[in-house]
Amino acid sequence: MTNFSSSLGNKTKFLVLGCGFSGSFFAKTIRNFGITALTSSRVNKQDPNSFVFNSENGEVPDEKIFDGVTHILSCIPPDKNGRDPVLGSLKSTLQDLSLEWIGYLSTTGVYGNTKGEWVSEIDQPNPFQKRSHMRLNCEREWIKSGLPVQIFRLPGIYGPGRSSFEAIRNHKIRVISKKDQVFSRIHVADITNAIIYLLQNKDSLKFHQIINIADDKPCSQIEVIQYCYDLLDLKMPKPILFEEAKKELSPMAQSFWMENRRVSNKLLCETLGYKLIYKDYTIGLKNCFLNS
Ligand SMILES: NC(=O)c1ccc[n+]([C@@H]2O[C@H](COP(=O)([O-])OP(=O)(O)OC[C@H]3O[C@@H](n4cnc5c(N)ncnc54)[C@H](OP(=O)(O)O)[C@@H]3O)[C@@H](O)[C@H]2O)c1
């Protein structure tokens, strides 16, 4: 990891498209390795390292932004019509560049409901939600583009500033119990570090175009929330049964409870040898507790 910038070469220039939670963590980390990373945002941030890209109103980056770009990470979800904002607005621009690599952050939602069974990259996607059908179409569009894209399927992302601690502190926590329901998750630092690790492993794209990045321990939401309350030294409220709680949940929140799967990280962690920083929620949440 320490010689990441030298292993990529000193002409490396990254564009991080969509500088939200994961994109900003990634950009900040690689800048610490001395790598140039420009990030996009839908509004002008008055920051020399940031540029405007907004597919909703057709604002595309100036040509100069693309000068010398070697790597791109897209963290932008499908738009409301299900199209990929980057491919919709910038496909031919990207095809004209001499790109070495593009990373695309996707979701494990494309696997659909496995009723709690493990699911891996060799399993056929079986999306259940409309948004997951859209996502799978976007993945397929990326593959069809002929660009050197590597797709990362992610479960629930958490990290400092985005975890159950914020929900508890803001009194927005809902402690819901649903029999046998589990969720997979990943700490934002492991998304960044796994990608850096794979970029150092030059053959990873050649042999593995789709890779799950998930931690070792899918588990119930209650287990995670209980752990947060324990760290805060507070008493967890009594859980509400899902059937009761769902009346109060938004359609989006309800939809997360309609799918139950355990996402395998064997390709990343066994075959490719990546070592997770936060192998389960206990150490990941301790990091959030200390940094939020
Ligand atoms: N959050 C999760 O738990 C989770 C789980 C699995 C997969 N994912 C997926 O992984 C990716 C990264 O997730 P995240 O939570 O880090 O994302 P995030 O914080 O929501 O950031 C998304 C970024 O996309 C930009 N964006 C959205 N629509 C755009 C458009 N039409 N044109 C240009 N830019 C646009 C946003 O711009 P602004 O900064 O201007 O708002 C933002 O920077 C996303 O595709 C997400 O759907 C997320």
Side-chain angles (χ1 to χ4, degrees):
M1 196 72 79
T2 42
N3 51 15
F4 176 51
S5 60
S6 54
S7 68
L8 288 188
N10 57 8
K11 294 225 171 82
T12 302
K13 176 177 169 185
F14 268 84
L15 294 189
V16 179
L17 300 174
C19 191
F21 192 60
S22 315
S24 57
F25 196 100
F26 183 82
K28 194 170 150 206
T29 307
I30 65 169
R31 282 180 191 139
N32 285 340
F33 285 109
I35 290 174
T36 304
L38 304 184
T39 55
S40 86
S41 179
R42 278 177 289 189
V43 291
N44 192 334
K45 287 199 165 160
Q46 308 291 342
D47 168 354
N49 288 318
S50 172
F51 59 91
V52 175
F53 169 51
N54 187 347
S55 77
E56 289 154 359
N57 62 8
E59 271 190 274
V60 293
D62 191 277
E63 277 176 16
K64 282 194 293 241
I65 295 292
F66 296 98
D67 278 353
V69 171
T70 53
H71 295 69
I72 288 180
L73 180 68
S74 173
C75 312
I76 302 181
D79 66 20
K80 58 180 184 317
N81 302 314
R83 296 214 53 201
D84 185 84
V86 177
L87 290 174
S89 309
L90 301 172
K91 181 157 77 177
S92 57
T93 307
L94 303 191
Q95 284 169 332
D96 287 344
L97 301 173
S98 300
L99 290 171
E100 290 176 29
W101 177 92
I102 300 183
Y104 173 64
L105 300 191
S106 180
T107 93
T108 54
V110 297
Y111 293 120
N113 184 10
T114 65
K115 301 188 175 143
E117 291 301 317
W118 287 95
V119 68
S120 78
E121 298 83 346
I122 57 166
D123 293 306
Q124 274 304 313
N126 186 18
F128 174 65
Q129 313 284 349
K130 185 174 172 210
R131 64 172 182 277
S132 307
H133 281 279
M134 290 172 164
R135 182 67 81 156
L136 186 60
N137 286 338
C138 290
E139 285 191 359
R140 289 178 173 156
E141 280 296 304
W142 273 107
I143 291 171
K144 245 178 38 197
S145 72
L147 290 158
V149 69
Q150 192 159 39
I151 293 169
F152 302 106
R153 290 184 177 153
L154 310 171
I157 304 169
Y158 74 102
R162 198 197 268 182
S163 72
S164 297
F165 290 117
E166 279 68 35
I168 294 172
R169 286 187 189 118
N170 299 327
H171 306 286
K172 294 231 165 94
I173 197 83
R174 286 195 179 93
V175 189
I176 297 172
S177 129
K178 189 171 181 221
K179 193 169 175 291
D180 299 330
Q181 172 82 39
V182 294
F183 293 97
S184 294
R185 38 188 86 67
I186 189 68
H187 190 291
V188 66
D190 271 309
I191 302 174
T192 285
N193 271 31
I195 292 175
I196 291 175
Y197 175 85
L198 293 168
L199 281 166
Q200 291 177 298
N201 174 352
K202 298 269 189 242
D203 284 339
S204 79
L205 170 59
K206 201 154 72 190
F207 297 112
H208 304 287
Q209 196 169 27
I210 298 179
I211 299 179
N212 297 336
I213 309 182
D215 76 14
D216 283 347
K217 195 177 175 192
C219 68
S220 76
Q221 195 69 336
I222 290 205
E223 196 178 320
V224 170
I225 295 173
Q226 178 69 67
Y227 187 75
C228 289
Y229 274 96
D230 290 348
L231 283 181
L232 291 165
D233 203 15
L234 294 172
K235 190 169 161 26
M236 185 176 83
K238 197 166 163 271
I240 310 166
L241 289 177
F242 174 72
E243 286 311 315
E244 195 51 41
K246 79 175 182 196
K247 298 173 204 152
E248 309 275 309
L249 296 180
S250 67
M252 179 64 131
Q254 277 189 39
S255 71
F256 286 108
W257 291 85
M258 306 319 291
E259 293 178 19
N260 189 12
R261 62 183 166 261
R262 290 179 161 81
V263 177
S264 166
N265 61 18
K266 280 193 176 159
L267 171 59
L268 175 70
C269 298
E270 291 181 15
T271 311
L272 295 166
Y274 175 68
K275 286 200 173 34
L276 289 158
I277 311 172
Y278 302 105
K279 63 186 173 58
D280 64 36
Y281 71 85
T282 60
I283 39 179
L285 283 172
K286 267 190 201 138
N287 165 263
C288 300
F289 180 67
L290 297 172
N291 291 286
S292 55

